[in-house]
Amino acid sequence: MTAIETTAAAPGMGEFFKTTLSILFTMIFVNNYILHRFLGICPFLGVSKKLDSAVGMSAAVIFVMVMASAITWPIQIYVLDANGIGYLQIAVFILVIAALVQLVEIICKRFVPPLYEALGVYLPLITTNCAILGVTVLNISDGLNFIYSIVNSLGAGLGFMMAMVLFAGVRERIEGCDPPKAFRGIPITLVSAAIMSIAFSGFTGVAAGIFGA
């Protein structure tokens, strides 16, 4: 590659990495699917009681998110849109997600039985996790290309894991507290989740300062 070609290619690569980092940062801290978009609340509240189960669920969600995006994006562009049947998007995407969840369930049951038992009913419920369906649909509606769709899904999955792990720590602290009777159980859990969501809204200004977005 000549010096001229290198100079011409550098800005493109620089812009690519900047966009990639911007997507990852905003999906983890700003547009977090749990704390900002309020998607995937069911596993967030149901599996965040213990750190190990929260990490296991998050890892499964990340795998399904990334793989679902890698499969659904070309299906949408080259099959559904190409044949004028884009209205089947939701049905097709759910079938893809369900197949991937079955794969994860088989792997967990075969190789990680303790995690399989800990996740219980919440593992098959990943199929109906609106965060995963939301990622795959928004990748298309936001006009992201294939690479950025994968990056967006990875960022959404990492944001899901961060929220789950942090909230697991919060709930373990709550267990050792003695809140007023009216706040015990679900109420104090919801209040804690709301405070986390408000706290993360501060990252919006950080993203704007770093990436100009």
Side-chain angles (χ1 to χ4, degrees):
M1 179 179 290
T2 65
I4 295 177
E5 290 174 331
T6 303
T7 303
M13 289 301 296
E15 186 64 27
F16 170 77
F17 284 118
K18 180 182 178 180
T19 303
T20 298
L21 291 175
S22 176
I23 291 174
L24 287 175
F25 185 90
T26 54
M27 292 306 297
I28 294 173
F29 296 103
V30 181
N31 295 329
N32 188 288
Y33 267 70
I34 290 179
L35 302 176
H36 177 75
R37 298 181 185 271
F38 306 112
L39 298 175
I41 298 297
C42 180
F44 177 64
L45 297 177
V47 193
S48 60
K49 293 181 180 180
K50 298 295 181 182
L51 181 60
D52 53 351
S53 59
V55 173
M57 168 63 79
S58 300
V61 168
I62 290 174
F63 174 81
V64 174
M65 273 188 179
V66 174
M67 292 301 298
S69 295
I71 295 173
T72 55
W73 192 93
I75 288 178
Q76 178 71 43
I77 301 301
Y78 299 113
V79 178
L80 301 182
D81 289 347
N83 293 282
I85 51 175
Y87 56 87
L88 294 176
Q89 180 191 66
I90 299 298
V92 172
F93 284 16
I94 289 177
L95 289 175
V96 171
I97 294 170
L100 289 171
V101 171
Q102 287 298 312
L103 176 62
V104 171
E105 188 171 2
I106 292 171
I107 292 174
C108 287
K109 188 174 183 179
R110 176 67 178 84
F111 298 104
V112 198
L115 177 61
Y116 177 79
E117 295 295 333
L119 295 179
V121 69
Y122 291 100
L123 184 57
L125 280 179
I126 295 178
T127 302
T128 56
N129 188 334
C130 51
I132 297 176
L133 181 60
V135 168
T136 57
V137 172
L138 289 175
N139 284 341
I140 303 298
S141 62
D142 290 344
L144 299 178
N145 61 28
F146 180 77
I147 298 298
Y148 288 148
S149 293
I150 300 300
V151 174
N152 192 62
S153 302
L154 177 61
L158 292 174
F160 184 94
M161 173 177 280
M162 184 195 65
M164 290 283 288
V165 169
L166 289 178
F167 200 57
V170 170
R171 295 189 72 171
E172 288 183 359
R173 294 292 298 273
I174 291 175
E175 291 295 326
C177 298
D178 186 25
K181 185 176 181 180
F183 284 91
R184 293 174 186 171
I186 293 297
I188 191 64
T189 301
L190 295 177
V191 169
S192 301
I195 293 173
M196 275 188 61
S197 177
I198 294 172
F200 270 78
S201 64
F203 283 106
T204 303
V206 176
I210 296 176
F211 304 103

